[in-house]
Structures are given as structure tokens and as C-alpha cells.
Amino acid sequence: DAGITQSPRHKVTETGTPVTLRCHQTENHRYMYWYRQDPGHGLRLIHYSYGVKDTDKGEVSDGYSVSRSKTEDFLLTLESATSSQTSVYFCAISSYESSYEQYFGPGTRLTVT
Amino acid sequence: GDSVTQMEGPVTLSEEAFLTINCTYTATGYPSLFWYVQYPGEGLQLLLKATKADDKGSNKGFEATYRKETTSFHLEKGSVQVSDSAVYFCALSDWGNTGNQFYFGTGTSLTVIP
């Protein structure tokens, strides 16, 4: 299994509070991705990174920001959480060396009350 | 833009039945195609892949053939087991302006009953 961890694994927070989710990899993969998974929508891309300090928006980026200050860590921040951001969040990584297959972390279940 | 459409579920089969989950795609370039599987409470795991037209990906008895003429990548298994119960996602990988991007279908839930 690819070395990807996500923290926290579960979180309950209140509307309006800031939340940061962390993705950590030990594979030295160049690309990192944040997705959210919701019933009926499958996986939707929030943001992705193609290198340290290089990020871009995905399909559902409103209300989210990201940062990548080193290869192994990719942070997802909800500046002011809303109930619509209740979801399961997955991090994924890929690289040229892995033939661009995406490897997924175990997920973070976030509930905004 | 690129997209993936897969058959909606849920799908319920008896053990040893034949499985087909349909997947079609739209892409501007020459994508790679994937099937991922998600077991309850877990992340997605790569099941199989195909990187060019007419390639067949296979793993654990599952197969899918990259059909460029019909833009399809249907997943098949000849005899399903209870342990195959999971959600299956079709996906494509293509190149955008800033690198490699994935597009996922909405997932198909499979339940296999003894």
C-alpha cells in the first residue's frame, strides 16, 4: 500500500469555524489531490498540486484553500465551515514513476453542525 | 471537457452470477482508463487499468477492455463472490494545462448475496 495518511480521520465541527485537514505521503509523488465524496456525486476534485507551492483549483473549490510547502504534505483548509461541506474527504497522490495511477488515503469524515 | 459516465446502481447479484458494469467516457486527448473499488469505510483501491486502445486490464477475475471506437471501458467478471460487494468507480486520466488530472464516474454499488 502506498504510504498516505490523513488526519484527523473523523472530525465534528461547528458552522463558521476554520478546519484544516492534513494529507501526508512518504512516496515522494509529485502530484497530490483533494477530493470530496458525496452520495450521488462520486468523487469531485477540490484542489490539486503539481509541485511544492504549485496548486490549482478543481471542480468544487469554492470555500476551500490548500497549501503545499513541502513534497510530503498537502493541507486542505475550510476557512469558515458550512453544513454543505459535511462530507468524506480523500487525498490522493500520483507520479510519472507510478504511471500516474492515483493512490488514495483512508479518508477523513467531516461533519459540520 | 473530459467526463466519465457509468451505469447507476445499486446492482444486486447472486453469488456466481455474471457481472457487467458499463462505463463510457468523453476525452479530448488519449486518456488512460481505470477501475477503482471502494470497500465500506475505506479509500479507493486500483482494481485494473488500460493505457491505450484495445488494451485489456485484468485483476482478481475482473476484466475491462479499452474500446476507442465506442469510448467504453466496461467492467466484467464471470462469477462474482460475496467478497466482491463494494462500490466500483470508472475513471480516466488525461493531461491538462498543469499536469495529470483524473475524472471519476459517480460509482456503482454492487451487493452479492449468497
Side-chain angles (χ1 to χ4, degrees):
Chain A
D1 289 345
I4 312 169
T5 57
Q6 293 184 232
S7 58
R9 294 293 314 279
H10 302 271
K11 186 170 181 66
V12 179
T13 192
E14 294 185 348
T15 297
T17 59
V19 176
T20 295
L21 308 182
R22 180 183 185 231
C23 177
H24 179 78
Q25 60 148 327
T26 58
E27 306 296 321
N28 201 36
H29 281 21
R30 176 182 178 186
Y31 296 94
M32 298 185 76
Y33 307 80
W34 277 108
Y35 294 92
R36 60 178 290 173
Q37 184 177 29
D38 304 289
H41 291 279
L43 271 76
R44 292 182 290 175
L45 181 65
I46 305 171
H47 281 280
Y48 66 99
S49 169
Y50 48 97
V52 173
K53 298 191 189 303
D54 293 322
T55 65
D56 205 350
K57 296 179 180 180
E59 176 187 2
V60 290
S61 59
D62 287 349
Y64 301 94
S65 62
V66 290
S67 66
R68 191 171 178 199
S69 59
K70 47 187 177 178
T71 300
E72 55 265 36
D73 289 325
F74 192 33
L75 304 180
L76 176 71
T77 297
L78 291 65
E79 301 290 348
S80 177
T82 68
S83 59
S84 64
Q85 293 176 312
T86 293
S87 186
V88 180
Y89 292 86
F90 287 100
C91 174
I93 63 175
S94 73
S95 70
Y96 168 79
E97 290 78 8
S98 69
S99 302
Y100 296 111
E101 297 168 12
Q102 287 204 350
Y103 298 97
F104 283 80
T108 294
R109 182 173 294 277
L110 176 67
T111 301
V112 183
T113 61
Chain B
D2 292 9
S3 66
V4 174
T5 302
Q6 63 180 103
M7 67 182 277
E8 295 188 12
V11 174
T12 302
L13 295 173
S14 297
E15 205 165 24
E16 300 184 2
F18 185 86
L19 168 71
T20 299
I21 301 178
N22 291 335
C23 172
T24 58
Y25 68 91
T26 302
T28 52
Y30 300 92
S32 295
L33 301 174
F34 303 82
W35 277 100
Y36 282 82
V37 59
Q38 184 181 33
Y39 299 102
E42 299 184 9
L44 278 70
Q45 303 173 25
L46 178 66
L47 180 60
L48 54 84
K49 69 175 183 179
T51 58
K52 61 183 187 298
D54 300 325
D55 270 3
K56 177 185 283 188
S58 61
N59 186 26
K60 300 180 182 179
F62 291 90
E63 294 183 340
T65 301
Y66 190 146
R67 302 282 188 203
K68 195 170 190 298
E69 64 275 15
T70 55
T71 61
S72 64
F73 192 56
H74 305 320
L75 181 68
E76 297 181 336
K77 187 175 185 182
S79 176
V80 294
Q81 305 300 312
V82 172
S83 57
D84 294 326
S85 298
V87 180
Y88 293 82
F89 291 90
C90 184
L92 73 81
S93 167
D94 204 352
W95 284 91
N97 292 335
T98 49
N100 186 257
Q101 296 188 29
F102 262 63
Y103 301 86
F104 286 87
T106 54
T108 301
S109 175
L110 170 67
T111 300
V112 180
I113 55 177

